[in-house]
Structure formats: structure tokens, C-alpha cells
Amino acid sequence: MTFSAVLLAGGESRRMGTDKATLLFHGKPLWQVQLETLRKLRPAEIFVSARMDPSWRPADVQFIIDIPPSCGPLSGLAASLVKIHTAHLLALAIDLPFMTERYLRSICDAIEPGRGVVAKTDNRAEPLAAVYPREAEIDFRVALAGTDFSLQNLVRHLVTSGKLLEISVTEQERRLFRNVNNVSDVDATIAGG
């Protein structure tokens, strides 16, 4: 099944103090690490979702502006679902550099018509490395029009309505969902932490 992919890069990086996308991770900026991972999956199209068009965006990657007012990844995912030309959207956050091509391929292999896949660690969804069906676009729009901008709550609704299949994260897979929020997070991983 063909799918589109979006790199979610719209965060304000308040805890980081600098643009996460340009932070070096094993000698490469995070944006490059994540786009390389997405390219290996051969999506039909790749987008980058952000508040403004990033200077680092490659010419073959389309820019999608978050639906204002920005409500975090909810806005980026909603805007991306409107633009895709395929039945599914693979989302990957800029700050999940431990995510692998193999894991993302496994969740893409589990998609079905009208249904995507989201991983669950303990009692929390992992919505920033997930696949959403185009049919979820209406649910994102409804959430943005309301007052509850929790992606966790929206994902629960999508699971209940059958638009997302929930899969459990194994103990070995937990590290894939480790995000980078501070410069010290990157320093610790480079030092082997």
C-alpha cells in the first residue's frame, strides 16, 4: 500500500533553547537523520510540517504550514492529512532520532484501507511515529475546532472508532520512542547513555 510521509518539525524547542532540527546527532542534523529514515521507506511523497518554511528543507520535500493557531502536532497532522495524495500518512517527529526504518516499515505493513497504526507504551499512545488514514482528517479538524487539543485523547477516539489499530511496544522497542528535548539528551546518547 502506498503512503505519504511527514516530518513533524513545528515544535518551539523551548526546552532545547535552539531549533531541534539543526541539532547534531551522531554528526548529522536531526532533520537529515529523520529524512534519511523516511526516504528509505520510499513514500509516495514527503512533507515537512512546521510553523514556517525551514531553511534546511530540501527542494524535493514539500512544506506544509501548521493550521493556525498552532496547537502542537495536532495542527501539523491536520494540515498534512489535507494535502496527501495517498490513503495513509506516516508521521515522524523531528525529535525521535532513535526510530528505525525497520520499525516504521513494520507499522506501515500493518495498515489497512481506512485504518492506520499507532503504538502504545504502557497506557500512552506514541502518536508522533504513527500512520494515520486519510479518513482521520475530519477527526483532526473537529479536534482543532474544539477546546481539547490533546493528541492522546484524539488517538484514543481514533482507536475506538476503528481508524487506528493499537499495537503494544515491546521492551526492546521502547528505546525507539526516546525523544530529544535537551542538549544534554543528545550529549548523553553520544557518550553512550
Side-chain angles (χ1 to χ4, degrees):
M1 210 174 280
T2 61
F3 60 93
S4 303
V6 63
L7 179 58
L8 299 169
E12 292 182 41
S13 302
R14 281 184 286 231
R15 286 178 280 187
M16 184 69 74
T18 186
D19 183 7
K20 284 183 190 181
T22 60
L23 193 69
L24 292 182
F25 184 80
H26 298 290
K28 294 181 183 177
L30 282 177
W31 69 264
Q32 186 177 353
V33 171
Q34 298 303 69
L35 281 179
E36 286 175 2
T37 299
L38 290 176
R39 286 184 200 283
K40 290 175 187 172
L41 297 165
R42 299 188 184 278
E45 56 196 352
I46 300 179
F47 302 98
V48 63
S49 170
R51 293 166 188 240
M52 43 197 282
D53 195 354
S55 60
W56 49 260
R57 178 181 59 86
D60 64 329
V61 174
Q62 301 172 58
F63 169 63
I64 295 180
I65 191 164
D66 288 359
I67 293 178
S70 184
C71 299
L74 189 68
S75 298
L77 287 166
S80 300
L81 282 165
V82 171
K83 298 287 187 185
I84 64 171
H85 295 97
T86 62
H88 291 86
L89 176 69
L90 169 64
L92 180 60
I94 195 91
D95 61 355
L96 292 176
F98 301 98
M99 187 51 62
T100 63
E101 169 198 0
R102 183 177 179 184
Y103 186 83
L104 292 175
R105 188 172 305 284
S106 74
I107 64 172
C108 288
D109 287 346
I111 61 178
E112 297 176 4
R115 187 169 77 171
V117 179
V118 66
K120 187 175 183 180
T121 305
D122 298 326
N123 205 23
R124 286 189 60 80
E126 299 288 356
L128 302 183
V131 184
Y132 297 91
R134 186 173 46 215
E135 291 82 355
E137 188 255 327
I138 186 66
D139 302 277
F140 277 87
R141 288 231 175 237
V142 167
L144 282 175
T147 56
D148 180 4
F149 305 123
S150 166
L151 196 47
Q152 290 291 323
N153 290 342
L154 177 57
V155 165
R156 276 193 286 280
H157 165 73
L158 291 171
V159 169
T160 302
S161 67
K163 291 181 183 176
L164 283 179
L165 170 67
E166 204 171 56
I167 58 172
S168 295
V169 172
T170 67
E171 199 58 45
Q172 297 82 6
E173 293 167 342
R174 284 177 181 261
R175 67 174 288 280
L176 303 178
F177 294 93
R178 184 174 161 200
N179 67 354
V180 176
N181 283 317
N182 301 296
V183 175
S184 61
D185 293 340
V186 176
D187 293 340
T189 60
I190 291 171

